[in-house]
Amino acid sequence: MKYNFCAGPSILPPEVFADAAKGVLDFEGSGLSILEISHRSDAFGSVLSECEQLVRELLGVPGGYSILFLQGGASAQFAQLPLNLLPIEGRAGYMDTGVWANKAIREAQKIGRVDVVASSADQNYTYIPQGYDIPEDLAYLHLTSNNTIYGTEFFEFPVTPVPLVSDMSSDIFSRVFDVSKFGTIYAGAQKNLGPAGLALVIVKDDLLGRTGRVLPSIFDYQQHISARSLYHTPPVFAIYVALLNLRWLKAKGGVAVVEQENIIKARVLYEEIDRNSLFRATANPSDRSRMNVVFVADTKEVESEFLVFAQQRGLVGLKGHRSVGGFRASIYNAMTIQGVNALVDAMQEFEDQYKR
Ligand SMILES: Cc1ncc(COP(=O)(O)O)c(C=O)c1O
């Protein structure tokens, strides 16, 4: 038995893997693989519309928003979003809260004017900034709702006079939030949605068509909206697996139910980190991510030893990102409380052995 704490690509529920495997061999009794059917077939059309429907239902997406399933991951959105929302003469506001937020900033700067309205770079991105001004003439304010690498998360979103845009790659579907507070949301799929190779974009229709830019069709949200994500061949397998995962989420009771589980899993793990004399969490306590639990030990030796110790117990994917070091336990929706308990047990055993 292995528990995989990888940050992404990451675990999905075992039943989703099993159903995806079936679909590769024989998609819903068609005698064909999901990998070989046309993206314009009725069968795939049903996959796409059910997937869209489930996104709407599970997140409570109100009318007036389009749902897109695009290629290029979240990184493509770092560029595609300003191309579609930032007017040639306008400026956009960005919050600099980590590596991904920073990449989003750098890409947007290639497209137009960007103002960084707040940053937590001064303390190695260990906190979510508070108390900053948001100029009223921004085309939008961009933030990264969960900072996968540094393990910080926005638990309150800024109230803005301008459209709020969020990269929700690593916390979408993990907690309840009000979509109507956002102008656009995007997410790479490979955490709580599905396999890599897919980005979900939820965009408020009335924000489009205001930039004065003429875009290549492939980068134009409006083209994808008009074609209902079939402007070209979409990532069919990733969309299919996302559908299976969203069905799983719905059968569990939806986002509110997994949110409660996620709160408990995160609490159990942070409590152990705080208690254990060998480990220390890096993020500001009130901003600690429920998805990516980042912690360190006092020395590199202890860190390497614990990684081996954990690996021997089937706990994998715990090595922290190179910019923080230490450990990162990603406890997405599909991670069970048993997995978290197994990690906690390993931390306690390791401490006992270490002290002897
Ligand atoms: C918050 C966040 N944004 C963006 C990305 C980049 O996503 P992709 O690799 O799909 O481009 C990641 C990847 O982990 C992420 O965690």
Side-chain angles (χ1 to χ4, degrees):
M1 175 77 195
K2 285 212 163 139
Y3 288 112
N4 178 13
F5 293 90
C6 239
S10 51
I11 49 167
L12 290 171
E15 46 274 58
V16 170
F17 285 142
D19 286 348
K22 273 191 219 145
V24 168
L25 296 176
D26 180 5
F27 170 63
E28 293 183 354
S30 64
L32 297 172
S33 167
I34 180 68
L35 300 178
E36 66 184 322
I37 65 170
S38 167
H39 59 292
R40 301 204 184 274
S41 61
D42 288 347
F44 186 72
S46 305
V47 168
L48 198 55
S49 50
E50 188 185 341
C51 202
E52 174 180 335
Q53 186 42 43
L54 280 175
V55 170
R56 286 190 185 278
E57 186 182 327
L58 290 164
L59 295 181
V61 181
Y65 286 79
S66 294
I67 311 273
L68 298 174
F69 299 99
L70 305 179
Q71 299 198 17
S75 299
Q77 294 312 310
F78 293 163
Q80 195 167 358
L81 179 108
L83 283 172
N84 282 274
L85 296 190
L86 178 51
I88 293 175
E89 301 297 335
R91 59 177 179 145
Y94 275 70
M95 297 195 58
D96 176 24
T97 56
V99 168
W100 298 114
N102 206 268
K103 282 198 172 171
I105 291 170
R106 278 185 277 132
E107 292 310 297
Q109 280 168 336
K110 294 175 189 166
I111 289 153
R113 181 165 161 202
V114 166
D115 286 7
V116 176
V117 299
S119 171
S120 50
D122 59 340
Q123 290 179 38
N124 200 28
Y125 296 123
T126 49
Y127 69 101
I128 299 292
Q130 307 280 343
Y132 41 87
D133 290 329
I134 305 170
E136 288 190 11
D137 64 340
L138 298 175
Y140 59 85
L141 175 67
H142 179 283
L143 59 84
T144 311
S145 52
N146 182 67
N147 296 283
T148 323
I149 292 175
Y150 294 91
T152 59
E153 190 166 3
F154 281 81
F155 292 108
E156 266 172 44
F157 294 110
V159 178
T160 65
V162 305
L164 192 57
V165 168
S166 184
D167 172 1
M168 292 200 174
S169 294
S170 49
D171 64 345
I172 196 159
F173 297 108
S174 74
R175 56 171 167 156
V176 175
F177 67 96
D178 184 354
V179 175
S180 73
K181 298 270 187 295
F182 292 82
T184 303
I185 292 161
Y186 64 90
Q190 63 272 21
K191 289 109 172 36
N192 277 327
L193 180 55
L198 166 68
L200 170 68
V201 178
I202 304 172
V203 56
K204 198 167 185 199
D205 299 320
D206 65 12
L207 294 180
L208 298 176
R210 299 181 184 181
T211 61
R213 298 176 196 277
V214 178
L215 298 182
S217 303
I218 190 72
F219 301 134
D220 189 345
Y221 285 160
Q222 197 56 62
Q223 284 280 350
H224 292 285
I225 292 170
S226 306
R228 304 209 54 222
S229 295
L230 290 172
Y231 164 70
H232 70 143
T233 317
V236 285
F237 184 62
I239 293 172
Y240 178 58
V241 181
L243 168 62
L244 297 174
N245 190 43
L246 294 177
R247 283 183 185 157
W248 170 86
L249 182 54
K250 182 174 172 175
K252 255 182 101 64
V255 176
V257 170
V258 292
E259 178 176 33
Q260 290 312 310
E261 293 182 1
N262 290 332
I263 289 171
I264 293 168
K265 287 184 292 179
R267 187 187 304 139
V268 166
L269 189 47
Y270 282 116
E271 272 176 11
E272 175 57 21
I273 295 166
D274 290 342
R275 186 211 60 78
N276 196 303
S277 56
L278 296 177
F279 303 110
R280 175 169 51 82
T282 51
N284 184 29
S286 56
D287 303 323
R288 288 171 169 183
S289 166
R290 292 183 193 141
M291 292 288 103
N292 307 98
V293 176
V294 175
F295 57 107
V296 293
D298 280 342
T299 66
K300 293 276 165 261
E301 291 68 39
V302 175
E303 289 182 346
S304 321
E305 274 179 48
F306 182 66
L307 276 180
V308 174
F309 187 87
Q311 182 104 26
Q312 285 163 348
R313 279 154 186 77
L315 309 171
V316 300
L318 283 167
K319 194 168 176 12
H321 189 271
R322 59 188 176 281
S323 26
V324 188
F327 312 98
R328 173 172 49 173
S330 297
I331 49 175
Y332 298 121
N333 290 349
M335 175 56 69
T336 56
I337 186 72
Q338 287 80 5
V340 172
N341 286 335
L343 175 56
V344 166
D345 290 347
M347 292 165 79
Q348 293 177 354
E349 267 182 58
F350 183 72
E351 184 190 34
D352 288 346
Q353 283 191 17
Y354 201 82
K355 279 186 174 163
R356 257 185 242 142

